[in-house]
Amino acid sequence: TLEVMSISSEPEHSNAAAWSPGEPSVLIGTKEGELSLWDLHGQQSLRTDTRYPATVSEIKYSPGGRFLAIGTFDGNTHFYDTNGDRELFVVQGKLRKFSQDERRFCVRTSGEVVVFEYVPSPSFTSIRQPVQSAEFSPDGNWLALSGQQGVELYSTNPPTLECNLGLDESGPVAWHPVGRELATFGMFSHVNRWPVATIPGSSDLSIGPPASVAINLTLARLGADNRVPQHWGRHAIWHPDGKRLM
């Protein structure tokens, strides 16, 4: 038995519609170039999306629901990634069909049919905070940020803050060539060596406890006072063979 459900108070303005994959809702495009997502249970608009410069002529989801195509009467088709509701690109022509694997789609233009293949571009993630230095571990799985906040360690995939070493303001971090330890140079904590090991059965790291490196004699030879900040312009560097720390 089919049940008729009215989901728009002004149906004369609706021009295209498509069921949302995996959701009890329908996406409607209007003659005014607007999109609305309607909940069939509450029968009310959940959100209004981008307003297009022309009437929405068609709405199509890819087979798995990853992509959404919005066609307009100005001859363009807008493609979106449904995971982030972001527009990917606009092509001229009318969408005919998505491939089952969602990698290709067919568009008909005025004089030909064109098959496009979607190739994702590299994505970038930013960590927004003031730092003085950023150093990756040799395997690229860890990132050490240093500066006024001391030293913070991030896992890189995706960038996630894992721990703060609890140091004072610090200069650049030096990773051992094989990643088994790192050296920090703090304003007043000076040089410390931190053993690093992977926890068995996990991708997590075990860090510390730190071992302080005595540099007072070196500072005395340089005529420096170890009671004042010492990391400015100074940092530890591992020799490529990993046997010497300078």
Side-chain angles (χ1 to χ4, degrees):
T1 302
L2 295 179
E3 179 183 357
V4 178
M5 302 183 67
S6 175
I7 61 174
S8 176
S9 59
E10 298 179 334
E12 66 275 9
H13 291 275
S14 303
N15 201 65
W19 291 101
S20 299
E23 298 180 12
S25 57
V26 62
L27 188 62
I28 295 177
T30 71
K31 295 179 181 179
E32 290 77 20
E34 296 179 341
L35 288 179
S36 295
L37 185 65
W38 288 77
D39 184 347
L40 295 185
H41 298 306
Q43 298 186 24
Q44 60 184 348
S45 178
L46 298 180
R47 73 173 185 269
T48 300
D49 290 309
T50 306
R51 185 183 181 96
Y52 299 95
T55 296
V56 176
S57 58
E58 64 176 344
I59 301 174
K60 290 184 179 180
Y61 284 93
S62 60
R66 180 183 177 188
F67 300 111
L68 169 65
I70 307 294
T72 52
F73 275 170
D74 59 2
N76 291 324
T77 300
H78 303 253
F79 289 85
Y80 292 83
D81 183 344
T82 58
N83 291 329
D85 285 337
R86 60 188 180 94
E87 186 175 70
L88 298 173
F89 45 80
V90 181
V91 299
Q92 287 190 323
K94 179 181 176 64
L95 177 69
R96 302 307 302 168
K97 191 176 183 62
F98 282 101
S99 64
Q100 277 307 119
D101 62 6
E102 301 184 307
R103 291 180 55 193
R104 293 172 292 276
F105 56 92
C106 179
V107 173
R108 177 173 58 81
T109 64
S110 57
E112 60 184 352
V113 173
V114 182
V115 177
F116 293 87
E117 182 171 1
Y118 175 66
V119 180
S121 60
S123 60
F124 300 90
T125 303
S126 62
I127 301 174
R128 297 184 178 273
Q129 69 170 352
V131 299
Q132 296 180 12
S133 177
E135 301 290 339
F136 283 97
S137 61
D139 60 10
N141 292 328
W142 296 86
L143 174 65
L145 301 183
S146 57
Q148 292 184 349
Q149 80 283 4
V151 175
E152 294 179 340
L153 289 183
Y154 284 76
S155 53
T156 57
N157 192 24
T160 304
L161 176 62
E162 300 294 347
C163 69
N164 186 309
L165 298 185
L167 295 173
D168 51 351
E169 185 172 348
S170 300
V173 167
W175 290 90
H176 188 274
V178 297
R180 70 187 184 195
E181 66 176 288
L182 56 87
T184 60
F185 203 140
M187 180 179 288
F188 292 103
S189 56
H190 302 308
V191 180
N192 283 277
R193 296 174 61 179
W194 300 74
V196 176
T198 301
I199 298 176
S202 170
S203 59
D204 294 337
L205 289 183
S206 171
I207 303 175
S212 178
V213 177
I215 60 172
N216 289 345
L217 292 178
T218 301
L219 290 174
R221 294 191 191 101
L222 295 174
D225 185 347
N226 65 359
R227 294 171 299 176
V228 299
Q230 297 297 332
H231 85 273
W232 290 321
R234 301 185 179 96
H235 56 276
I237 301 176
W238 285 100
H239 188 276
D241 63 12
K243 297 179 180 179
R244 286 166 285 180
L245 179 65
M246 297 175 283

